[in-house]
Amino acid sequence: NAEGFDVAELEFPVSPGILNSNSNLKEALKVYRLLKSNEKVFGLNGNSFNVLGMLSGGHLAARLVQKLNEMEQPEQLILISPSNMDETLKGTVFPSAMPPVHPNARLFVSFFKNEKSVWIHSGQEYLKIWKGYDGETSFQLLTDSVTFSGKNFNAFSPAFKLHDLLKKFVESKPVKQIDSKNPAAVAVEG
């Protein structure tokens, strides 16, 4: 594209139920590993391998990275208004999407201010755990738009702040900072 990125888009059915969700995850893992192991065959740039998901795709992207070993992880995981991050494993209180225990990818999470508050809260919890595992994170709560769930517009348009924030994040160099206080031990307001 004009920004110099190669993009592969995974389309998947969205419907309730863990069976469908697990089927989508299996397909996403298969496609991710195929692309990652065949960058030259597909003519991919190869300078950086990132995963981006919006809404339910954000939830799927988070679950995908959770299943990858340290060597398979992308350079960056970008979650834009990830939905259903509050979903738990059946019969438990454990989130169905958890960060990898040893995150190598840099994490970017953003929401528009008037998205569902439970999504924002659970996205912050996910980010907090990621950082607690010593991963690099960035959180953005955007105020320049209405919620885009179910609407047909380009959230990446230069008209929105998200465009510049993503560009800056993707082009920046990793900075590993280890705080003395583990952020996973601090409750998120809400």
Side-chain angles (χ1 to χ4, degrees), residues 138-173:
S138 175
F139 179 82
Q140 300 292 328
L141 187 59
L142 306 172
T143 58
D144 66 342
S145 174
V146 297
T147 178
F148 68 95
S149 178
K151 297 198 169 114
N152 186 17
F153 75 91
N154 182 2
F156 302 106
S157 165
F160 297 107
K161 291 179 187 173
L162 180 60
H163 175 271
D164 292 334
L165 291 169
L166 279 174
K167 187 173 174 92
K168 182 178 176 183
F169 178 78
V170 170
E171 292 175 349
S172 67
K173 302 284 185 220

PDB file of all heavy atoms in Angstrom, residues 138-173:
ATOM      1  N   SER A 138       1.111   0.302  24.805  1.00  0.00           N
ATOM      2  CA  SER A 138       0.634   1.655  24.556  1.00  0.00           C
ATOM      3  C   SER A 138      -0.889   1.601  24.551  1.00  0.00           C
ATOM      4  O   SER A 138      -1.481   0.752  23.886  1.00  0.00           O
ATOM      5  CB  SER A 138       1.148   2.163  23.208  1.00  0.00           C
ATOM      6  OG  SER A 138       0.600   3.435  22.920  1.00  0.00           O
ATOM      7  N   PHE A 139      -1.530   2.505  25.297  1.00  0.00           N
ATOM      8  CA  PHE A 139      -2.992   2.566  25.353  1.00  0.00           C
ATOM      9  C   PHE A 139      -3.429   3.957  24.925  1.00  0.00           C
ATOM     10  O   PHE A 139      -2.881   4.959  25.386  1.00  0.00           O
ATOM     11  CB  PHE A 139      -3.503   2.273  26.765  1.00  0.00           C
ATOM     12  CG  PHE A 139      -5.004   2.342  26.865  1.00  0.00           C
ATOM     13  CD1 PHE A 139      -5.778   1.263  26.485  1.00  0.00           C
ATOM     14  CD2 PHE A 139      -5.636   3.487  27.318  1.00  0.00           C
ATOM     15  CE1 PHE A 139      -7.172   1.310  26.550  1.00  0.00           C
ATOM     16  CE2 PHE A 139      -7.024   3.560  27.399  1.00  0.00           C
ATOM     17  CZ  PHE A 139      -7.785   2.455  27.011  1.00  0.00           C
ATOM     18  N   GLN A 140      -4.440   4.000  24.054  1.00  0.00           N
ATOM     19  CA  GLN A 140      -4.963   5.281  23.588  1.00  0.00           C
ATOM     20  C   GLN A 140      -6.485   5.275  23.701  1.00  0.00           C
ATOM     21  O   GLN A 140      -7.136   4.387  23.158  1.00  0.00           O
ATOM     22  CB  GLN A 140      -4.568   5.517  22.128  1.00  0.00           C
ATOM     23  CG  GLN A 140      -3.081   5.549  21.881  1.00  0.00           C
ATOM     24  CD  GLN A 140      -2.401   6.757  22.498  1.00  0.00           C
ATOM     25  OE1 GLN A 140      -2.986   7.837  22.595  1.00  0.00           O
ATOM     26  NE2 GLN A 140      -1.180   6.579  22.938  1.00  0.00           N
ATOM     27  N   LEU A 141      -7.017   6.253  24.396  1.00  0.00           N
ATOM     28  CA  LEU A 141      -8.462   6.458  24.455  1.00  0.00           C
ATOM     29  C   LEU A 141      -8.750   7.680  23.590  1.00  0.00           C
ATOM     30  O   LEU A 141      -8.406   8.806  23.951  1.00  0.00           O
ATOM     31  CB  LEU A 141      -8.934   6.679  25.887  1.00  0.00           C
ATOM     32  CG  LEU A 141     -10.437   6.742  26.095  1.00  0.00           C
ATOM     33  CD1 LEU A 141     -11.106   5.442  25.631  1.00  0.00           C
ATOM     34  CD2 LEU A 141     -10.767   6.995  27.555  1.00  0.00           C
ATOM     35  N   LEU A 142      -9.330   7.451  22.420  1.00  0.00           N
ATOM     36  CA  LEU A 142      -9.509   8.504  21.416  1.00  0.00           C
ATOM     37  C   LEU A 142     -10.830   9.235  21.611  1.00  0.00           C
ATOM     38  O   LEU A 142     -11.863   8.611  21.842  1.00  0.00           O
ATOM     39  CB  LEU A 142      -9.451   7.888  20.024  1.00  0.00           C
ATOM     40  CG  LEU A 142      -8.192   7.062  19.748  1.00  0.00           C
ATOM     41  CD1 LEU A 142      -8.306   6.330  18.431  1.00  0.00           C
ATOM     42  CD2 LEU A 142      -6.966   7.949  19.768  1.00  0.00           C
ATOM     43  N   THR A 143     -10.786  10.541  21.491  1.00  0.00           N
ATOM     44  CA  THR A 143     -11.984  11.356  21.695  1.00  0.00           C
ATOM     45  C   THR A 143     -12.462  12.016  20.411  1.00  0.00           C
ATOM     46  O   THR A 143     -13.425  12.766  20.440  1.00  0.00           O
ATOM     47  CB  THR A 143     -11.698  12.464  22.733  1.00  0.00           C
ATOM     48  OG1 THR A 143     -10.608  13.264  22.254  1.00  0.00           O
ATOM     49  CG2 THR A 143     -11.344  11.871  24.086  1.00  0.00           C
ATOM     50  N   ASP A 144     -11.829  11.710  19.272  1.00  0.00           N
ATOM     51  CA  ASP A 144     -12.140  12.429  18.041  1.00  0.00           C
ATOM     52  C   ASP A 144     -13.164  11.734  17.153  1.00  0.00           C
ATOM     53  O   ASP A 144     -13.292  12.055  15.986  1.00  0.00           O
ATOM     54  CB  ASP A 144     -10.871  12.689  17.240  1.00  0.00           C
ATOM     55  CG  ASP A 144     -10.226  11.417  16.722  1.00  0.00           C
ATOM     56  OD1 ASP A 144     -10.541  10.333  17.233  1.00  0.00           O
ATOM     57  OD2 ASP A 144      -9.399  11.506  15.798  1.00  0.00           O
ATOM     58  N   SER A 145     -13.913  10.790  17.681  1.00  0.00           N
ATOM     59  CA  SER A 145     -14.857  10.070  16.831  1.00  0.00           C
ATOM     60  C   SER A 145     -15.999   9.503  17.657  1.00  0.00           C
ATOM     61  O   SER A 145     -15.893   9.322  18.849  1.00  0.00           O
ATOM     62  CB  SER A 145     -14.127   8.931  16.122  1.00  0.00           C
ATOM     63  OG  SER A 145     -15.026   8.138  15.419  1.00  0.00           O
ATOM     64  N   VAL A 146     -17.041   9.152  16.945  1.00  0.00           N
ATOM     65  CA  VAL A 146     -18.113   8.376  17.556  1.00  0.00           C
ATOM     66  C   VAL A 146     -17.691   6.918  17.510  1.00  0.00           C
ATOM     67  O   VAL A 146     -16.739   6.550  16.832  1.00  0.00           O
ATOM     68  CB  VAL A 146     -19.447   8.561  16.807  1.00  0.00           C
ATOM     69  CG1 VAL A 146     -19.891  10.000  16.879  1.00  0.00           C
ATOM     70  CG2 VAL A 146     -19.350   8.088  15.375  1.00  0.00           C
ATOM     71  N   THR A 147     -18.401   6.067  18.215  1.00  0.00           N
ATOM     72  CA  THR A 147     -18.119   4.635  18.144  1.00  0.00           C
ATOM     73  C   THR A 147     -18.279   4.170  16.704  1.00  0.00           C
ATOM     74  O   THR A 147     -19.172   4.606  15.998  1.00  0.00           O
ATOM     75  CB  THR A 147     -19.037   3.837  19.082  1.00  0.00           C
ATOM     76  OG1 THR A 147     -18.746   2.459  18.938  1.00  0.00           O
ATOM     77  CG2 THR A 147     -20.495   4.079  18.816  1.00  0.00           C
ATOM     78  N   PHE A 148     -17.402   3.289  16.233  1.00  0.00           N
ATOM     79  CA  PHE A 148     -17.500   2.855  14.847  1.00  0.00           C
ATOM     80  C   PHE A 148     -18.028   1.452  14.704  1.00  0.00           C
ATOM     81  O   PHE A 148     -18.152   0.931  13.616  1.00  0.00           O
ATOM     82  CB  PHE A 148     -16.166   3.018  14.109  1.00  0.00           C
ATOM     83  CG  PHE A 148     -15.058   2.127  14.557  1.00  0.00           C
ATOM     84  CD1 PHE A 148     -14.800   0.927  13.916  1.00  0.00           C
ATOM     85  CD2 PHE A 148     -14.241   2.487  15.606  1.00  0.00           C
ATOM     86  CE1 PHE A 148     -13.762   0.115  14.307  1.00  0.00           C
ATOM     87  CE2 PHE A 148     -13.203   1.684  16.000  1.00  0.00           C
ATOM     88  CZ  PHE A 148     -12.959   0.494  15.351  1.00  0.00           C
ATOM     89  N   SER A 149     -18.409   0.835  15.794  1.00  0.00           N
ATOM     90  CA  SER A 149     -18.994  -0.494  15.726  1.00  0.00           C
ATOM     91  C   SER A 149     -20.262  -0.462  14.879  1.00  0.00           C
ATOM     92  O   SER A 149     -21.180   0.295  15.155  1.00  0.00           O
ATOM     93  CB  SER A 149     -19.311  -0.981  17.144  1.00  0.00           C
ATOM     94  OG  SER A 149     -19.905  -2.243  17.099  1.00  0.00           O
ATOM     95  N   GLY A 150     -20.277  -1.290  13.840  1.00  0.00           N
ATOM     96  CA  GLY A 150     -21.449  -1.381  12.990  1.00  0.00           C
ATOM     97  C   GLY A 150     -21.569  -0.277  11.955  1.00  0.00           C
ATOM     98  O   GLY A 150     -22.520  -0.224  11.207  1.00  0.00           O
ATOM     99  N   LYS A 151     -20.592   0.627  11.902  1.00  0.00           N
ATOM    100  CA  LYS A 151     -20.636   1.710  10.932  1.00  0.00           C
ATOM    101  C   LYS A 151     -19.631   1.450   9.828  1.00  0.00           C
ATOM    102  O   LYS A 151     -18.617   0.812  10.026  1.00  0.00           O
ATOM    103  CB  LYS A 151     -20.330   3.030  11.623  1.00  0.00           C
ATOM    104  CG  LYS A 151     -21.381   3.362  12.663  1.00  0.00           C
ATOM    105  CD  LYS A 151     -21.343   4.796  13.031  1.00  0.00           C
ATOM    106  CE  LYS A 151     -22.559   5.109  13.847  1.00  0.00           C
ATOM    107  NZ  LYS A 151     -22.381   5.462  15.141  1.00  0.00           N
ATOM    108  N   ASN A 152     -19.914   1.968   8.671  1.00  0.00           N
ATOM    109  CA  ASN A 152     -19.055   1.759   7.520  1.00  0.00           C
ATOM    110  C   ASN A 152     -18.227   3.017   7.275  1.00  0.00           C
ATOM    111  O   ASN A 152     -18.648   3.916   6.568  1.00  0.00           O
ATOM    112  CB  ASN A 152     -19.900   1.407   6.293  1.00  0.00           C
ATOM    113  CG  ASN A 152     -19.042   1.049   5.109  1.00  0.00           C
ATOM    114  OD1 ASN A 152     -17.862   0.761   5.264  1.00  0.00           O
ATOM    115  ND2 ASN A 152     -19.636   1.078   3.937  1.00  0.00           N
ATOM    116  N   PHE A 153     -17.080   3.114   7.910  1.00  0.00           N
ATOM    117  CA  PHE A 153     -16.152   4.197   7.622  1.00  0.00           C
ATOM    118  C   PHE A 153     -14.738   3.730   7.933  1.00  0.00           C
ATOM    119  O   PHE A 153     -14.530   2.715   8.581  1.00  0.00           O
ATOM    120  CB  PHE A 153     -16.515   5.484   8.374  1.00  0.00           C
ATOM    121  CG  PHE A 153     -16.197   5.471   9.838  1.00  0.00           C
ATOM    122  CD1 PHE A 153     -14.975   5.926  10.294  1.00  0.00           C
ATOM    123  CD2 PHE A 153     -17.124   5.038  10.759  1.00  0.00           C
ATOM    124  CE1 PHE A 153     -14.682   5.934  11.643  1.00  0.00           C
ATOM    125  CE2 PHE A 153     -16.838   5.038  12.113  1.00  0.00           C
ATOM    126  CZ  PHE A 153     -15.611   5.489  12.556  1.00  0.00           C
ATOM    127  N   ASN A 154     -13.788   4.473   7.457  1.00  0.00           N
ATOM    128  CA  ASN A 154     -12.390   4.094   7.579  1.00  0.00           C
ATOM    129  C   ASN A 154     -11.774   4.716   8.826  1.00  0.00           C
ATOM    130  O   ASN A 154     -11.431   5.895   8.826  1.00  0.00           O
ATOM    131  CB  ASN A 154     -11.629   4.519   6.318  1.00  0.00           C
ATOM    132  CG  ASN A 154     -10.184   4.109   6.348  1.00  0.00           C
ATOM    133  OD1 ASN A 154      -9.726   3.465   7.285  1.00  0.00           O
ATOM    134  ND2 ASN A 154      -9.461   4.470   5.306  1.00  0.00           N
ATOM    135  N   ALA A 155     -11.598   3.916   9.868  1.00  0.00           N
ATOM    136  CA  ALA A 155     -11.011   4.406  11.116  1.00  0.00           C
ATOM    137  C   ALA A 155      -9.550   4.794  10.932  1.00  0.00           C
ATOM    138  O   ALA A 155      -8.986   5.508  11.748  1.00  0.00           O
ATOM    139  CB  ALA A 155     -11.124   3.337  12.197  1.00  0.00           C
ATOM    140  N   PHE A 156      -8.928   4.335   9.840  1.00  0.00           N
ATOM    141  CA  PHE A 156      -7.517   4.628   9.585  1.00  0.00           C
ATOM    142  C   PHE A 156      -7.322   5.878   8.735  1.00  0.00           C
ATOM    143  O   PHE A 156      -6.212   6.236   8.390  1.00  0.00           O
ATOM    144  CB  PHE A 156      -6.842   3.429   8.909  1.00  0.00           C
ATOM    145  CG  PHE A 156      -6.953   2.181   9.723  1.00  0.00           C
ATOM    146  CD1 PHE A 156      -7.810   1.169   9.353  1.00  0.00           C
ATOM    147  CD2 PHE A 156      -6.207   2.025  10.883  1.00  0.00           C
ATOM    148  CE1 PHE A 156      -7.929   0.023  10.105  1.00  0.00           C
ATOM    149  CE2 PHE A 156      -6.321   0.890  11.649  1.00  0.00           C
ATOM    150  CZ  PHE A 156      -7.177  -0.119  11.265  1.00  0.00           C
ATOM    151  N   SER A 157      -8.403   6.529   8.390  1.00  0.00           N
ATOM    152  CA  SER A 157      -8.336   7.750   7.596  1.00  0.00           C
ATOM    153  C   SER A 157      -7.489   8.790   8.331  1.00  0.00           C
ATOM    154  O   SER A 157      -7.566   8.909   9.558  1.00  0.00           O
ATOM    155  CB  SER A 157      -9.746   8.290   7.385  1.00  0.00           C
ATOM    156  OG  SER A 157      -9.691   9.627   6.938  1.00  0.00           O
ATOM    157  N   PRO A 158      -6.699   9.558   7.584  1.00  0.00           N
ATOM    158  CA  PRO A 158      -5.924  10.633   8.226  1.00  0.00           C
ATOM    159  C   PRO A 158      -6.798  11.642   8.966  1.00  0.00           C
ATOM    160  O   PRO A 158      -6.294  12.419   9.766  1.00  0.00           O
ATOM    161  CB  PRO A 158      -5.195  11.290   7.042  1.00  0.00           C
ATOM    162  CG  PRO A 158      -5.072  10.198   6.030  1.00  0.00           C
ATOM    163  CD  PRO A 158      -6.345   9.393   6.177  1.00  0.00           C
ATOM    164  N   ALA A 159      -8.102  11.623   8.727  1.00  0.00           N
ATOM    165  CA  ALA A 159      -9.010  12.530   9.431  1.00  0.00           C
ATOM    166  C   ALA A 159      -9.108  12.192  10.923  1.00  0.00           C
ATOM    167  O   ALA A 159      -9.514  13.023  11.721  1.00  0.00           O
ATOM    168  CB  ALA A 159     -10.405  12.479   8.805  1.00  0.00           C
ATOM    169  N   PHE A 160      -8.746  10.985  11.297  1.00  0.00           N
ATOM    170  CA  PHE A 160      -8.815  10.556  12.698  1.00  0.00           C
ATOM    171  C   PHE A 160      -7.420  10.471  13.306  1.00  0.00           C
ATOM    172  O   PHE A 160      -6.457  10.140  12.617  1.00  0.00           O
ATOM    173  CB  PHE A 160      -9.514   9.196  12.809  1.00  0.00           C
ATOM    174  CG  PHE A 160     -10.934   9.223  12.343  1.00  0.00           C
ATOM    175  CD1 PHE A 160     -11.290   8.628  11.149  1.00  0.00           C
ATOM    176  CD2 PHE A 160     -11.920   9.845  13.092  1.00  0.00           C
ATOM    177  CE1 PHE A 160     -12.595   8.658  10.694  1.00  0.00           C
ATOM    178  CE2 PHE A 160     -13.229   9.882  12.651  1.00  0.00           C
ATOM    179  CZ  PHE A 160     -13.573   9.293  11.450  1.00  0.00           C
ATOM    180  N   LYS A 161      -7.319  10.716  14.595  1.00  0.00           N
ATOM    181  CA  LYS A 161      -6.038  10.660  15.304  1.00  0.00           C
ATOM    182  C   LYS A 161      -5.424   9.275  15.268  1.00  0.00           C
ATOM    183  O   LYS A 161      -4.214   9.121  15.344  1.00  0.00           O
ATOM    184  CB  LYS A 161      -6.222  11.100  16.761  1.00  0.00           C
ATOM    185  CG  LYS A 161      -6.528  12.551  16.927  1.00  0.00           C
ATOM    186  CD  LYS A 161      -6.721  12.897  18.398  1.00  0.00           C
ATOM    187  CE  LYS A 161      -7.197  14.326  18.540  1.00  0.00           C
ATOM    188  NZ  LYS A 161      -7.555  14.651  19.904  1.00  0.00           N
ATOM    189  N   LEU A 162      -6.259   8.246  15.137  1.00  0.00           N
ATOM    190  CA  LEU A 162      -5.768   6.873  15.130  1.00  0.00           C
ATOM    191  C   LEU A 162      -4.711   6.662  14.054  1.00  0.00           C
ATOM    192  O   LEU A 162      -3.715   5.989  14.278  1.00  0.00           O
ATOM    193  CB  LEU A 162      -6.935   5.899  14.937  1.00  0.00           C
ATOM    194  CG  LEU A 162      -6.592   4.420  14.917  1.00  0.00           C
ATOM    195  CD1 LEU A 162      -5.931   3.995  16.227  1.00  0.00           C
ATOM    196  CD2 LEU A 162      -7.842   3.588  14.664  1.00  0.00           C
ATOM    197  N   HIS A 163      -4.899   7.251  12.894  1.00  0.00           N
ATOM    198  CA  HIS A 163      -3.953   7.125  11.783  1.00  0.00           C
ATOM    199  C   HIS A 163      -2.542   7.514  12.223  1.00  0.00           C
ATOM    200  O   HIS A 163      -1.585   6.750  12.060  1.00  0.00           O
ATOM    201  CB  HIS A 163      -4.414   7.987  10.605  1.00  0.00           C
ATOM    202  CG  HIS A 163      -3.462   8.015   9.464  1.00  0.00           C
ATOM    203  ND1 HIS A 163      -2.446   8.932   9.382  1.00  0.00           N
ATOM    204  CD2 HIS A 163      -3.352   7.226   8.370  1.00  0.00           C
ATOM    205  CE1 HIS A 163      -1.749   8.718   8.278  1.00  0.00           C
ATOM    206  NE2 HIS A 163      -2.283   7.687   7.644  1.00  0.00           N
ATOM    207  N   ASP A 164      -2.400   8.710  12.790  1.00  0.00           N
ATOM    208  CA  ASP A 164      -1.072   9.202  13.192  1.00  0.00           C
ATOM    209  C   ASP A 164      -0.509   8.426  14.376  1.00  0.00           C
ATOM    210  O   ASP A 164       0.688   8.170  14.442  1.00  0.00           O
ATOM    211  CB  ASP A 164      -1.136  10.697  13.520  1.00  0.00           C
ATOM    212  CG  ASP A 164      -1.413  11.541  12.285  1.00  0.00           C
ATOM    213  OD1 ASP A 164      -1.079  11.096  11.156  1.00  0.00           O
ATOM    214  OD2 ASP A 164      -1.981  12.643  12.434  1.00  0.00           O
ATOM    215  N   LEU A 165      -1.375   8.046  15.322  1.00  0.00           N
ATOM    216  CA  LEU A 165      -0.908   7.270  16.479  1.00  0.00           C
ATOM    217  C   LEU A 165      -0.362   5.911  16.049  1.00  0.00           C
ATOM    218  O   LEU A 165       0.679   5.471  16.535  1.00  0.00           O
ATOM    219  CB  LEU A 165      -2.047   7.082  17.488  1.00  0.00           C
ATOM    220  CG  LEU A 165      -2.491   8.334  18.227  1.00  0.00           C
ATOM    221  CD1 LEU A 165      -3.783   8.075  18.988  1.00  0.00           C
ATOM    222  CD2 LEU A 165      -1.401   8.820  19.175  1.00  0.00           C
ATOM    223  N   LEU A 166      -1.062   5.252  15.142  1.00  0.00           N
ATOM    224  CA  LEU A 166      -0.599   3.953  14.650  1.00  0.00           C
ATOM    225  C   LEU A 166       0.710   4.093  13.877  1.00  0.00           C
ATOM    226  O   LEU A 166       1.631   3.293  14.050  1.00  0.00           O
ATOM    227  CB  LEU A 166      -1.644   3.298  13.760  1.00  0.00           C
ATOM    228  CG  LEU A 166      -2.765   2.576  14.474  1.00  0.00           C
ATOM    229  CD1 LEU A 166      -3.802   2.095  13.480  1.00  0.00           C
ATOM    230  CD2 LEU A 166      -2.234   1.415  15.280  1.00  0.00           C
ATOM    231  N   LYS A 167       0.783   5.087  13.030  1.00  0.00           N
ATOM    232  CA  LYS A 167       2.006   5.315  12.248  1.00  0.00           C
ATOM    233  C   LYS A 167       3.197   5.543  13.183  1.00  0.00           C
ATOM    234  O   LYS A 167       4.263   4.951  13.000  1.00  0.00           O
ATOM    235  CB  LYS A 167       1.806   6.500  11.305  1.00  0.00           C
ATOM    236  CG  LYS A 167       2.948   6.713  10.340  1.00  0.00           C
ATOM    237  CD  LYS A 167       2.587   7.791   9.334  1.00  0.00           C
ATOM    238  CE  LYS A 167       3.750   8.122   8.462  1.00  0.00           C
ATOM    239  NZ  LYS A 167       3.822   7.371   7.251  1.00  0.00           N
ATOM    240  N   LYS A 168       3.010   6.366  14.189  1.00  0.00           N
ATOM    241  CA  LYS A 168       4.073   6.644  15.152  1.00  0.00           C
ATOM    242  C   LYS A 168       4.461   5.367  15.906  1.00  0.00           C
ATOM    243  O   LYS A 168       5.646   5.076  16.094  1.00  0.00           O
ATOM    244  CB  LYS A 168       3.612   7.723  16.139  1.00  0.00           C
ATOM    245  CG  LYS A 168       4.658   8.119  17.149  1.00  0.00           C
ATOM    246  CD  LYS A 168       4.129   9.220  18.053  1.00  0.00           C
ATOM    247  CE  LYS A 168       5.138   9.546  19.130  1.00  0.00           C
ATOM    248  NZ  LYS A 168       4.639  10.540  20.070  1.00  0.00           N
ATOM    249  N   PHE A 169       3.477   4.580  16.332  1.00  0.00           N
ATOM    250  CA  PHE A 169       3.752   3.345  17.073  1.00  0.00           C
ATOM    251  C   PHE A 169       4.516   2.349  16.207  1.00  0.00           C
ATOM    252  O   PHE A 169       5.521   1.791  16.622  1.00  0.00           O
ATOM    253  CB  PHE A 169       2.443   2.714  17.558  1.00  0.00           C
ATOM    254  CG  PHE A 169       2.633   1.410  18.285  1.00  0.00           C
ATOM    255  CD1 PHE A 169       3.070   1.393  19.599  1.00  0.00           C
ATOM    256  CD2 PHE A 169       2.377   0.201  17.653  1.00  0.00           C
ATOM    257  CE1 PHE A 169       3.262   0.192  20.271  1.00  0.00           C
ATOM    258  CE2 PHE A 169       2.553  -1.001  18.311  1.00  0.00           C
ATOM    259  CZ  PHE A 169       2.998  -1.006  19.627  1.00  0.00           C
ATOM    260  N   VAL A 170       4.043   2.128  14.985  1.00  0.00           N
ATOM    261  CA  VAL A 170       4.669   1.139  14.103  1.00  0.00           C
ATOM    262  C   VAL A 170       6.090   1.547  13.726  1.00  0.00           C
ATOM    263  O   VAL A 170       6.979   0.696  13.620  1.00  0.00           O
ATOM    264  CB  VAL A 170       3.792   0.920  12.838  1.00  0.00           C
ATOM    265  CG1 VAL A 170       4.514   0.106  11.789  1.00  0.00           C
ATOM    266  CG2 VAL A 170       2.486   0.237  13.223  1.00  0.00           C
ATOM    267  N   GLU A 171       6.319   2.834  13.552  1.00  0.00           N
ATOM    268  CA  GLU A 171       7.648   3.304  13.133  1.00  0.00           C
ATOM    269  C   GLU A 171       8.617   3.490  14.289  1.00  0.00           C
ATOM    270  O   GLU A 171       9.816   3.614  14.068  1.00  0.00           O
ATOM    271  CB  GLU A 171       7.508   4.611  12.349  1.00  0.00           C
ATOM    272  CG  GLU A 171       6.822   4.421  11.009  1.00  0.00           C
ATOM    273  CD  GLU A 171       6.572   5.720  10.256  1.00  0.00           C
ATOM    274  OE1 GLU A 171       6.736   6.816  10.854  1.00  0.00           O
ATOM    275  OE2 GLU A 171       6.205   5.641   9.076  1.00  0.00           O
ATOM    276  N   SER A 172       8.124   3.487  15.522  1.00  0.00           N
ATOM    277  CA  SER A 172       9.008   3.703  16.676  1.00  0.00           C
ATOM    278  C   SER A 172       9.793   2.440  17.008  1.00  0.00           C
ATOM    279  O   SER A 172       9.410   1.331  16.660  1.00  0.00           O
ATOM    280  CB  SER A 172       8.199   4.158  17.892  1.00  0.00           C
ATOM    281  OG  SER A 172       7.356   3.120  18.337  1.00  0.00           O
ATOM    282  N   LYS A 173      10.899   2.642  17.673  1.00  0.00           N
ATOM    283  CA  LYS A 173      11.748   1.535  18.112  1.00  0.00           C
ATOM    284  C   LYS A 173      11.259   1.025  19.468  1.00  0.00           C
ATOM    285  O   LYS A 173      10.795   1.801  20.295  1.00  0.00           O
ATOM    286  CB  LYS A 173      13.209   1.995  18.253  1.00  0.00           C
ATOM    287  CG  LYS A 173      13.803   2.557  16.980  1.00  0.00           C
ATOM    288  CD  LYS A 173      14.131   1.464  16.022  1.00  0.00           C
ATOM    289  CE  LYS A 173      14.830   2.023  14.803  1.00  0.00           C
ATOM    290  NZ  LYS A 173      14.431   1.447  13.589  1.00  0.00           N
TER     291      LYS A 173
END
